[in-house]
Amino acid sequence: MEPEPLQNGDSAPSAPVPAPPSKMSNLEESLKLEHQFLKVPFEHLKKSMRVNHRMVEKEMSAVMLTVAEVSDRDMSREEAVHHLTSLVSRLQGLKRKLEESNKTEQLQAQRCRARLDHLGMLQVGNQREWSDIRVKRILVDYMLRLSYYNTAIELAEHSNIQDLVDVDVFLEAKNVIDALQNKEVAPALAWCAENKSRLKKSKVYDIPVVHVRSKLEFELRQQEFIELVRAKNSMQALAYVRKYLAPWGSTHLKELQHVVATLAFTSDTECEKYKVLFDAKRWDCLVEQFKQEFCRLYGMSLEPLLNIYLQAGLSVLKTPYCYEEDCTKEDPLSQESFRKLASSLPFSKQHHSKLVCYISKELMDVDNPPFVLPNGYVYSTKAMADMAKKNGGKITCPRTGLVCNFTDLVKAFIC
Amino acid sequence: MIIMLREKPFSELGQEMELTTTIKDVFDRVSKKQRLSSSKTQEVIDLVEQEIEQVLSKIQQPPPPNGGETNPKAILAELNAKLKEFGPTNQLDSSQKDLNMALGKYTKVIDKTFITDIAKAYRSVDFDQHTLNQIIAAHFYRQGLFDLGDLFTTEAHEPDLVSLKAPFLEMYAILEAMRLKNLEPALNWARTHRDQLLLKGSSLEMKLHRLAFVEMLQKGGDARAEALAYARTHLAPLARTHMAEVQRLMGCLLWAGRLDASPYAELLSPSQWELLENEVARECCGALGQSCESPLHVAIGAGVQGLPTLLKLANVMAAKRQEWGAMKQLPIAVELGKEYQFHSVFVCPVSREQGSEENPPMIMPCGHVLCRGSIMKLSKSSNRAFKCPYCPMEATVLQCRQLHF
């Protein structure tokens, strides 16, 4: 029934509503959320390839250079033999290393392929199983981000999804994080150096931005400096500034000046501006900053997948009826813990009526229209017909106790 | 459901999505280029090594009997020139370039096909860590992953959460026993909860006895007497409420030991056990006041369905970041599968407002339903008759009744 447009004036303009999509395209839509799933192992593979290539390049250049050098000098046979033999062994060593790293690359490539296979497997028929695995993947991601490594590994092994989760990538990060928590910056600095060429890329425009250095490196250097000041190693601290912090002066002068000024204070200073620099919590900030850079590099979201999906899910499920006493147990929002999480989230919005029979829990639609009792309570046709059959044509409203005849019911037309 | 019915193995299912087949092709090209590149690298290194070794052996040759020391310089100069001409670093670079192109193509295709930032619609509200841990622990215990749950509560430093385990321990003990074909714990449970089950109209106890009875009968021979005794003790009391079923089972006695040849053969099917396990799980959860599905699973599933729409919205709302954080209701409707429809939501077809206590749905004499606000507007708040927007029938406000879904 097409409604005639009412001259109502105050009706809120509604956004165009898309037609309910078919099941298969629904599945496709859900797959499109899996960017991280493919990106992370691929970035890992690219990194290995980069490292390998650099190693080969370095060794080969060194060999070429040596050959050029020795061909330019006068030398005895023994010397020449000595040089050439060392070159040969160098190349052999390179080949051995390459064998190892090729194996690693192969495994990483296999993992990328395995994930593509997994995505391709999703069908309407196995949706249940596939969703189950998705929940497990999301939980492993959560565990890894919160550093609950044992739980993550156990869950991955128990469900046999090791190829589908990024435990090894996060374990790499673990080393850096553990060191930072032990107030050591060395592994973090090494990580920055290793990924220098990648970190320089601007994510916004996706072009290499040559002179932008990772801020994390600056922060790490600052912290090391502060620790030197804390230990009252003024001479060392000054040398440190000259060597490692001064280059940042061109881009971050104010910050640099602020931190260097700590030399004038002691670590138990009461001056607010400088007390904050000596705060041990700065180490926790460094850990957070590292985690963020790390996630950004690998194409991972900054927040755990669990939070993202839960926030969306709770919001689209949230209705005022969820908070009523008799809310069905099947609704997650009937539980206190879920209600708490959803408290600051917006309510869902519906464009069309969707009615659920109180008795059968089925949708009351064109095939099973709603039936209205004399007291205004509504149930589905099927539920009412069932009840009438078992009770000699009589209906008892389960919520009010009103008894009436099946023939007293009136059909409601919901547009 | 906690236990699933056996589903078709992945390999038997139909056509794969085009989405993944195209990407797989691009990735296979990456694999190919990778193999090419590594064999090329190998080749280059081998060649350089060979050249050097050749020169090495030349130099190591004993000097000619008539001459003095041979000057290696000339040979080395030759080597240098040869290697320079060969240009190994250039060769390596060009094969790397090839590989990089393939890598770039793959990056492009996944960035294009998939949504690169699914956190775009994420609002920076704080999810209380403890609550979240509670939910996760409850999920693990509910799925029967007790050890994993314990490991999690330890690592998350939330030892109190272990108490969430208790209600599910009994249930899993029962299900474990059933898997080992022991129905005793299940029967005990059904007996203890008999009243509850009857109130729900569940025939679980009957079904359990039936299964035990059939198992007994299958043993054949003397089992018949045992089965008869079982029937007298356990089936007879159920005869009043399940007469037809009991009579059917009595009929089975005639086929003791060869039920598979009888008209009751389907009672032997192994799926009977699975079905019954599922039902026991469902009833146990119900008795515990729990849902059939893990609520975490349901919430994530709803998130998966709703997120694509929310992300499209986030794109549109990009400029209004603060509004996004402060909104009380999503400004756009999200279509969810009917498995996520837990409540009746009435939307007035005229005003598009959602029904509420202040603005409830009302049915007109013609059977069409509008919200009270729309009806008041149509009647101009008087008792004048107005026409239904969807049919020629007229009505007055007093003739409209409030509905309770």
Side-chain angles (χ1 to χ4, degrees):
Chain A
M1 256 177 293
E2 261 319 286
E4 267 177 3
L6 257 198
Q7 298 316 307
N8 198 308
D10 313 41
S11 52
S14 43
V17 180
S22 73
K23 271 214 152 167
M24 200 56 180
S25 78
N26 246 349
L27 294 186
E28 257 196 46
E29 284 289 306
S30 74
L31 279 192
K32 291 192 181 157
L33 298 169
E34 301 279 5
H35 186 248
Q36 177 173 319
F37 186 55
L38 295 180
K39 185 94 172 169
V40 176
F42 188 60
E43 290 298 322
H44 203 196
L45 172 63
K46 283 204 283 191
K47 181 171 151 180
S48 302
M49 287 183 182
R50 260 199 313 272
V51 167
N52 281 345
H53 179 71
R54 247 181 263 156
M55 169 179 73
V56 172
E57 228 181 22
K58 192 171 122 193
E59 290 293 298
M60 192 50 79
S61 305
V63 166
M64 292 294 286
L65 206 65
T66 314
V67 170
E69 253 179 34
V70 302
S71 67
D72 215 23
R73 290 194 292 153
D74 280 310
M75 60 172 68
S76 66
R77 251 181 32 169
E78 287 76 26
E79 256 188 283
V81 166
H82 170 74
H83 277 293
L84 291 180
T85 336
S86 75
L87 283 183
V88 170
S89 68
R90 193 166 186 170
L91 287 175
Q92 284 175 341
L94 176 62
K95 285 204 291 192
R96 274 194 304 273
K97 269 192 244 159
L98 266 186
E99 226 186 280
E100 269 306 305
S101 50
N102 272 337
K103 270 200 211 122
T104 316
E105 271 180 36
Q106 290 292 345
L107 284 174
Q108 287 172 337
Q110 265 174 36
R111 172 169 291 193
C112 290
R113 195 56 161 73
R115 296 208 183 176
L116 279 173
D117 285 337
H118 183 73
L119 288 187
M121 281 208 276
L122 176 58
Q123 310 270 349
V124 176
N126 61 16
Q127 211 178 339
R128 214 31 205 297
E129 233 177 86
W130 205 93
S131 310
D132 242 21
I133 295 183
R134 174 169 43 211
V135 171
K136 296 194 172 118
R137 288 193 281 122
I138 291 173
L139 284 175
V140 172
D141 170 270
Y142 181 78
M143 301 300 161
L144 288 171
R145 290 184 193 246
L146 271 100
S147 308
Y148 303 154
Y149 298 106
N150 293 322
T151 314
I153 293 172
E154 180 60 36
L155 179 53
E157 278 177 15
H158 179 271
S159 338
N160 212 11
I161 52 172
Q162 292 97 317
D163 257 350
L164 306 180
V165 293
D166 301 308
V167 176
D168 46 358
V169 168
F170 274 92
L171 284 179
E172 260 180 43
K174 178 179 194 286
N175 288 330
V176 173
I177 295 174
D178 283 347
L180 284 176
Q181 281 167 342
N182 263 332
K183 306 213 161 72
E184 289 167 25
V185 298
L189 284 169
W191 185 86
C192 285
E194 214 177 71
N195 295 285
K196 207 178 238 171
S197 63
R198 294 271 4 260
L199 289 172
K200 277 192 208 155
K201 248 193 180 164
S202 157
K203 188 159 186 177
V204 178
Y205 302 104
D206 202 30
I207 51 170
V209 178
V210 181
H211 295 294
V212 174
R213 262 184 289 186
S214 152
K215 187 106 192 299
L216 175 63
E217 201 189 317
F218 184 35
E219 300 284 342
L220 290 166
R221 294 287 183 201
Q222 281 184 55
Q223 194 59 38
E224 221 173 6
F225 169 74
I226 291 174
E227 293 307 318
L228 286 172
V229 173
R230 196 199 302 272
K232 301 204 173 79
N233 277 331
S234 310
M235 293 317 295
Q236 246 188 304
L238 274 171
Y240 195 86
V241 172
R242 248 178 252 128
K243 186 165 184 197
Y244 294 115
L245 286 176
W248 293 89
S250 52
T251 39
H252 297 89
L253 188 60
K254 261 207 134 128
E255 233 181 301
L256 182 60
Q257 284 175 336
H258 189 205
V259 83
V260 173
T262 52
L263 277 169
F265 296 84
T266 51
S267 55
D268 51 4
T269 180
E270 280 307 312
C271 172
E272 267 314 310
K273 248 187 128 189
Y274 292 93
K275 186 172 177 185
V276 65
L277 286 178
F278 284 109
D279 193 344
K281 281 209 203 70
R282 279 180 65 95
W283 285 100
D284 295 330
C285 292
L286 280 176
V287 171
E288 273 318 302
Q289 241 187 310
F290 168 71
K291 281 185 180 173
Q292 286 187 12
E293 291 263 355
F294 184 80
C295 288
R296 220 170 278 141
L297 191 75
Y298 277 98
M300 293 194 258
S301 59
L302 295 178
E303 304 81 7
L305 294 177
L306 180 63
N307 293 44
I308 297 175
Y309 283 108
L310 263 190
Q311 212 189 70
L314 290 177
S315 202
V316 300
L317 286 176
K318 190 177 176 187
T319 68
Y321 311 107
C322 303
Y323 289 82
E324 288 172 5
E325 271 303 304
D326 60 352
C327 171
T328 168
K329 287 286 160 230
E330 300 306 315
D331 184 345
L333 285 167
S334 61
Q335 299 214 2
E336 216 23 71
S337 44
F338 284 86
R339 282 179 181 172
K340 191 153 174 225
L341 284 188
S343 53
S344 50
L345 297 175
F347 282 91
S348 67
K349 182 173 181 152
Q350 301 241 317
H351 259 278
H352 296 292
S353 297
K354 282 229 172 85
L355 305 171
V356 175
C357 173
Y358 181 86
I359 297 176
S360 66
K361 308 291 183 233
E362 286 180 1
L363 267 182
M364 296 194 283
D365 53 15
V366 167
D367 304 316
N368 189 12
F371 252 143
V372 184
L373 271 59
N375 60 2
Y377 278 74
V378 182
Y379 304 99
S380 66
T381 311
K382 288 192 188 144
M384 292 291 92
D386 248 1
M387 194 187 275
K389 199 158 48 150
K390 293 188 183 143
N391 292 283
K394 287 238 182 276
I395 302 287
T396 311
C397 172
R399 287 178 280 185
T400 58
L402 175 80
V403 183
C404 64
N405 289 313
F406 185 74
T407 45
D408 296 330
L409 302 180
V410 176
K411 195 152 92 154
F413 297 95
I414 309 288
C415 304
Chain B
M1 297 295 234
I2 292 159
I3 313 154
M4 290 181 292
L5 292 178
R6 230 172 286 137
E7 299 196 48
K8 271 189 172 180
F10 278 169
S11 53
E12 279 183 16
L13 297 162
Q15 265 248 306
E16 184 178 324
M17 272 183 248
E18 202 195 304
L19 187 88
T20 40
T21 42
T22 18
I23 304 180
K24 280 191 196 176
D25 287 337
V26 180
F27 187 77
D28 287 339
R29 236 169 285 152
V30 167
S31 292
K32 194 171 106 176
K33 292 286 178 195
Q34 181 200 30
R35 282 193 294 271
L36 278 174
S37 166
S38 70
S39 63
K40 179 84 182 171
T41 307
Q42 195 78 350
E43 233 181 75
V44 168
I45 299 177
D46 279 339
L47 228 117
V48 171
E49 194 188 339
Q50 251 174 37
E51 289 295 325
I52 298 181
E53 276 183 333
Q54 268 178 19
V55 166
L56 191 58
S57 62
K58 225 194 231 172
I59 296 185
Q60 278 172 327
Q61 266 170 13
N66 60 338
E69 280 276 312
T70 32
N71 188 350
K73 190 164 179 185
I75 309 180
L76 287 174
E78 204 186 305
L79 173 66
N80 189 28
K82 204 170 192 184
L83 286 182
K84 265 211 174 118
E85 201 189 318
F86 179 53
T89 36
N90 284 341
Q91 301 234 355
L92 293 171
D93 266 346
S94 83
S95 89
Q96 187 70 9
K97 214 182 242 167
D98 234 9
L99 177 57
N100 280 340
M101 256 179 64
L103 293 173
K105 278 214 181 95
Y106 183 68
T107 306
K108 241 197 209 127
V109 85
I110 58 174
D111 283 351
K112 196 175 74 162
T113 318
F114 296 85
I115 302 173
T116 46
D117 185 10
I118 60 169
K120 216 168 194 164
Y122 189 74
R123 323 159 101 226
S124 45
V125 295
D126 267 324
F127 262 3
D128 176 43
Q129 199 59 50
H130 174 71
T131 315
L132 204 44
N133 287 341
Q134 214 179 334
I135 289 177
I136 297 175
H139 172 79
F140 282 144
Y141 290 135
R142 172 188 229 292
Q143 305 293 88
L145 304 167
F146 297 115
D147 292 330
L148 192 60
D150 288 340
L151 182 56
F152 171 67
T153 51
T154 322
E155 257 192 311
H157 306 296
E158 303 248 24
D160 308 328
L161 292 181
V162 177
S163 60
L164 293 169
K165 200 185 345 184
F168 298 107
L169 283 171
E170 193 193 352
M171 179 169 88
Y172 275 93
I174 295 175
L175 294 173
E176 263 310 302
M178 276 183 81
R179 261 172 233 144
L180 300 169
K181 302 279 174 99
N182 172 12
L183 287 168
E184 261 321 298
L187 282 166
N188 280 330
W189 187 89
R191 237 168 275 147
T192 337
H193 293 82
R194 186 175 289 162
D195 293 331
Q196 263 178 303
L197 289 170
L198 281 178
L199 207 65
K200 286 171 88 181
S202 161
S203 50
L204 183 66
E205 207 180 338
M206 175 75 236
K207 290 185 186 159
L208 287 167
H209 281 302
R210 177 175 73 192
L211 200 57
F213 180 71
V214 165
E215 280 295 302
M216 224 176 261
L217 269 188
Q218 257 315 83
K219 296 196 204 124
D222 300 322
R224 196 196 291 232
E226 211 187 317
L228 194 53
Y230 190 87
R232 283 213 189 93
T233 336
H234 298 284
L235 294 183
L238 294 167
R240 197 164 40 88
T241 39
H242 295 92
M243 179 57 78
E245 191 62 35
V246 172
Q247 284 176 336
R248 201 161 82 112
L249 289 177
M250 290 294 105
C252 291
L253 275 171
L254 298 169
W255 271 271
R258 29 183 205 102
L259 267 173
D260 39 345
S262 78
Y264 308 106
E266 96 262 6
L267 289 174
L268 287 174
S269 139
S271 67
Q272 291 286 340
W273 281 91
E274 267 182 58
L275 283 166
L276 204 50
E277 263 183 61
N278 279 343
E279 195 170 333
V280 168
R282 230 182 316 147
E283 293 298 343
C284 280
C285 283
L288 291 168
Q290 299 271 348
S291 51
C292 289
E293 288 272 1
S294 155
L296 183 61
H297 197 139
V298 174
I300 290 179
V304 169
Q305 283 202 5
L307 201 49
T309 315
L310 290 180
L311 287 171
K312 286 192 195 123
L313 169 66
N315 277 327
V316 165
M317 288 202 75
K320 314 180 196 165
R321 212 70 216 230
Q322 310 96 298
E323 278 187 38
W324 178 254
M327 66 170 84
K328 286 264 177 287
Q329 186 183 35
L330 292 173
I332 178 173
V334 176
E335 283 289 322
L336 292 177
K338 64 176 187 222
E339 66 270 28
Y340 296 109
Q341 200 69 34
F342 299 114
H343 306 277
S344 289
V345 178
F346 173 73
V347 178
C348 177
V350 165
S351 64
R352 292 282 164 211
E353 279 174 16
Q354 268 172 231
S356 64
E357 215 141 291
E358 304 83 36
N359 190 17
M362 304 195 65
I363 186 169
M364 296 182 284
C366 56
H368 289 117
V369 184
L370 298 180
C371 73
R372 184 191 282 151
S374 298
I375 289 182
M376 296 312 277
K377 284 215 181 87
L378 283 174
S379 67
K380 309 227 196 308
S381 301
S382 68
N383 207 25
R384 245 192 314 185
F386 60 90
K387 184 183 98 60
C388 164
Y390 299 105
C391 68
M393 260 193 89
E394 283 195 349
T396 61
V397 173
L398 291 177
Q399 291 173 315
C400 300
R401 293 187 287 151
Q402 182 173 334
L403 291 184
H404 302 268
F405 291 113

